[in-house]
């Protein structure tokens, strides 16, 4: 019974943490009312992703050493307070970058791996499914934020006031649910002592570089689209309601995709699933400038893009657990998230600058589409878990 209570608490946490995926909801009003440029709005989005990555490494290592409760609690408090302070700010680029980009991203990073790894430990025989449920809840947060945000914006509620509402809602939810997290009991006589992870050796492992390469390019495309989907729709002269609805569509299929990719990951070899997801991501990115023209193709594009991006935060987590063991997942997966953090900083901001200077998103689709195409071939040759497994196990760890 305890593990199901923890499962519910973890899902509630994830539903509160994924607000960044709904950022595009607020981009047009921030540009119009507070005079931010497209590049500035995407820099906030990207900085949040980068800080998420950095502090996920810290949170993951703390989780491995002292358990999930402490990093999840402090991360939740930081996250909630950040949105409250953003709501009381002037709405300037500097203030929003500080409270939403920097400290908001810090809070999410400290929290993120705690419920995910905790659930995997409580459900060791359903790693793919549990990972899918956890990250689906994280993505599902965007649906709630987008629908509520669009409703409040249509009622002329100021965007900063909406940030206050978000902060005051998330703070108690995250503080309470974090205190319910705990790892399952283990018998010290039956649980082998975990050797010390050698970070330098990890970066000498071709398997890890293969995963990092495709995590970066897949996340570039996904985050580029998520951060810009509403302004992209407006650039196609689509109705503002349609453009706003796309945020929910991409979030919905991000949720469904995480569940489906998690299920597929339990049926097929990890490398094959990753390649399938990469090919789909690349094709959609390169085809978008030629295909997306009207409401139907725009919403279809949003759905497929959300579904494809879902694979980045499900398949790789499961593959890390399989290759390096669930006990080391917090330390190793948090390092792999460097690819996601760098992608979040580089792709949306670059795309925003391209649009500010050219008035078109087409060059960005080509740039990141071709990068992803190259990554497919790199991954295929670098990632050889069967051939390199013995070398990996002997070189990555040392007794401490």
């Amino acid at each position: 019974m305890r593990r199901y209570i923890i499962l519910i608490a973890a899902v509630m946490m994830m539903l509160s943490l994924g607000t960044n995926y709904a950022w595009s909801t607020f981009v047009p009003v921030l540009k119009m009312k507070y005079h931010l440029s497209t590049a500035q709005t995407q820099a906030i989005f990207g900085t949040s992703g980068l800080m998420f990555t950095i502090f996920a490494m810290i949170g993951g290592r703390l989780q491995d050493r002292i358990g999930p409760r402490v990093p999840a609690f402090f991360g939740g408090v930081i996250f909630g307070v950040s949105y409250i302070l953003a709501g009381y700010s002037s709405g300037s680029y500097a203030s929003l970058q500080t409270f939403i980009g920097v400290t908001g991203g810090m809070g999410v990073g400290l929290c993120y791996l705690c419920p995910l790894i905790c659930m995997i430990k409580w459900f060791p025989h359903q790693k793919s499914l549990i990972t899918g449920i956890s990250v689906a809840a994280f993505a599902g947060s965007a649906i709630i934020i987008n629908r509520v945000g669009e409703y409040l914006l249509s009622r002329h509620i100021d965007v900063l006031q909406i940030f206050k509402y978000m902060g005051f809602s998330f703070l108690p939810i995250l503080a309470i649910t974090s205190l319910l997290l705990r790892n399952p009991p283990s018998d010290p006589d039956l649980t082998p002592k975990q050797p010390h992870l050698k970070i330098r050796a990890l970066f000498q492992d071709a398997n890890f570089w293969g995963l990092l390469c495709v995590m970066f390019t897949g996340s570039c495309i996904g985050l580029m689209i998520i951060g810009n989907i509403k302004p992209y729709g407006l650039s196609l002269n689509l109705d503002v309601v349609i453009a706003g609805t796309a945020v929910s569509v991409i979030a919905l299929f991000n949720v469904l995709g995480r569940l489906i990719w998690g299920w597929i990951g339990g049926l097929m070899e990890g490398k094959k699933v990753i390649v399938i997801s990469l090919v789909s991501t690349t094709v959609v990115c390169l085809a978008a400038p030629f295909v997306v023209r009207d409401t139907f193709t725009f919403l279809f594009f949003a759905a497929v893009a959300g579904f494809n991006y879902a694979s980045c935060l499900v398949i790789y987590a499961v593959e890390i657990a399989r290759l390096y063991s669930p006990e080391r997942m917090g330390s190793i997966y948090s390092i792999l998230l460097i690819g996601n953090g760098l992608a979040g900083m580089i792709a949306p901001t670059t795309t925003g600058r391209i649009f500010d200077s050219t008035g078109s998103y087409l060059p960005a689709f080509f740039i990141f589409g071709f990068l992803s195409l190259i990554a497919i071939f790199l991954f295929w040759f670098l990632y050889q878990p069967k051939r390199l497994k013995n070398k990996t196990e002997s070189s990555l760890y040392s007794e401490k």
Side-chain angles (χ1 to χ4, degrees), residues 70-319:
V70 172
F73 177 80
F74 282 102
V77 171
I78 292 170
F79 178 69
V81 170
S82 294
Y83 270 85
I84 293 171
L85 293 176
Y88 282 106
S89 74
S90 63
S92 67
Y93 170 66
S95 60
L96 295 179
Q97 177 70 287
T98 300
F99 296 126
I100 293 180
V102 178
T103 59
M106 288 169 51
V108 178
L110 284 174
C111 282
Y112 179 74
L113 288 175
C114 297
L116 173 59
I117 297 171
C118 185
M119 285 197 292
I120 288 176
K121 290 180 177 179
W122 278 101
F123 297 87
H125 301 298
Q126 296 89 28
K127 292 186 183 71
S128 293
L129 178 61
I130 288 300
T131 302
I133 292 173
S134 176
V135 295
F138 187 73
S141 175
I143 301 175
I144 300 170
I145 297 301
N146 171 249
R147 290 295 86 199
V148 174
E150 291 288 356
Y151 173 80
L152 293 176
L153 289 173
S154 70
R155 296 297 185 273
H156 306 291
I157 304 296
D158 185 75
V159 65
L160 299 183
Q161 188 68 30
I162 297 173
F163 291 157
K164 283 187 212 174
Y165 295 158
M166 291 165 63
F168 281 117
S169 299
F170 296 144
L171 183 57
I173 293 173
L174 291 169
I176 293 170
T177 54
S178 66
L179 297 178
L180 296 175
L181 297 182
R182 65 176 63 186
N183 288 327
S186 59
D187 187 339
D189 296 326
L190 297 177
T191 304
K193 182 180 177 181
Q194 290 297 318
H196 176 59
L197 174 67
K198 297 188 289 186
I199 301 298
R200 182 178 298 179
L202 183 65
F203 282 100
Q204 295 172 350
D205 177 23
N207 284 327
F208 182 80
W209 277 108
L211 290 171
L212 183 63
C213 176
V214 292
M215 169 67 91
F216 173 73
T217 54
S219 296
C220 275
I221 293 175
L223 294 173
M224 171 189 75
I225 297 169
I226 289 171
N228 288 279
I229 190 67
K230 186 173 181 179
Y232 176 51
L234 295 176
S235 74
L236 297 172
N237 297 317
L238 298 177
D239 185 78
V240 66
V241 175
I242 299 299
T245 300
V247 180
S248 284
V249 171
I250 205 170
L252 174 62
F253 280 85
N254 198 356
V255 172
L256 296 176
R258 293 176 189 221
L259 295 172
I260 295 171
W261 285 116
W263 173 69
I264 294 173
L267 300 178
M268 295 177 61
E269 179 188 350
K271 184 174 182 178
K272 292 179 181 178
V273 180
I274 291 172
V275 170
I276 291 170
S277 70
L278 287 171
V279 170
S280 179
T281 298
T282 304
V283 169
V284 169
C285 185
L286 292 175
F290 306 102
V291 175
V292 180
R293 290 286 184 271
D294 52 26
T295 297
F296 174 77
T297 54
F298 174 66
L299 293 179
F300 181 77
F301 163 74
V304 178
F307 182 82
N308 286 337
Y309 177 66
S311 65
C312 293
L313 296 174
V314 179
I315 302 172
Y316 304 116
V318 174
E319 203 63 13

Side-chain angles (χ1 to χ4, degrees), residues 291-370:
V291 175
V292 180
R293 290 286 184 271
D294 52 26
T295 297
F296 174 77
T297 54
F298 174 66
L299 293 179
F300 181 77
F301 163 74
V304 178
F307 182 82
N308 286 337
Y309 177 66
S311 65
C312 293
L313 296 174
V314 179
I315 302 172
Y316 304 116
V318 174
E319 203 63 13
I320 288 291
R322 285 174 177 167
L323 190 61
Y324 301 104
S325 87
E327 288 74 20
R328 286 296 176 187
M329 185 180 170
S331 298
I332 298 177
Y333 183 59
S334 62
I335 297 172
L336 183 68
L337 284 174
I338 291 172
N340 185 267
L342 290 175
M345 189 66 199
I346 294 170
T349 307
T350 301
T351 303
R353 287 175 179 169
I354 289 172
F355 182 78
D356 283 339
S357 60
T358 68
S360 172
Y361 287 99
L362 188 145
F365 282 113
F366 286 145
I367 290 170
F368 293 110
F370 280 113

Side-chain angles (χ1 to χ4, degrees), residues 40-92:
Q40 286 176 325
T41 63
Q42 297 310 303
I44 295 169
F45 177 74
T47 300
S48 178
L50 181 62
M51 298 304 293
F52 160 76
T53 299
I54 294 171
F55 280 84
M57 288 191 283
I58 298 171
R61 295 184 77 83
L62 286 173
Q63 192 282 149
D64 284 346
R65 294 184 179 185
I66 63 175
R69 190 177 298 173
V70 172
F73 177 80
F74 282 102
V77 171
I78 292 170
F79 178 69
V81 170
S82 294
Y83 270 85
I84 293 171
L85 293 176
Y88 282 106
S89 74
S90 63
S92 67

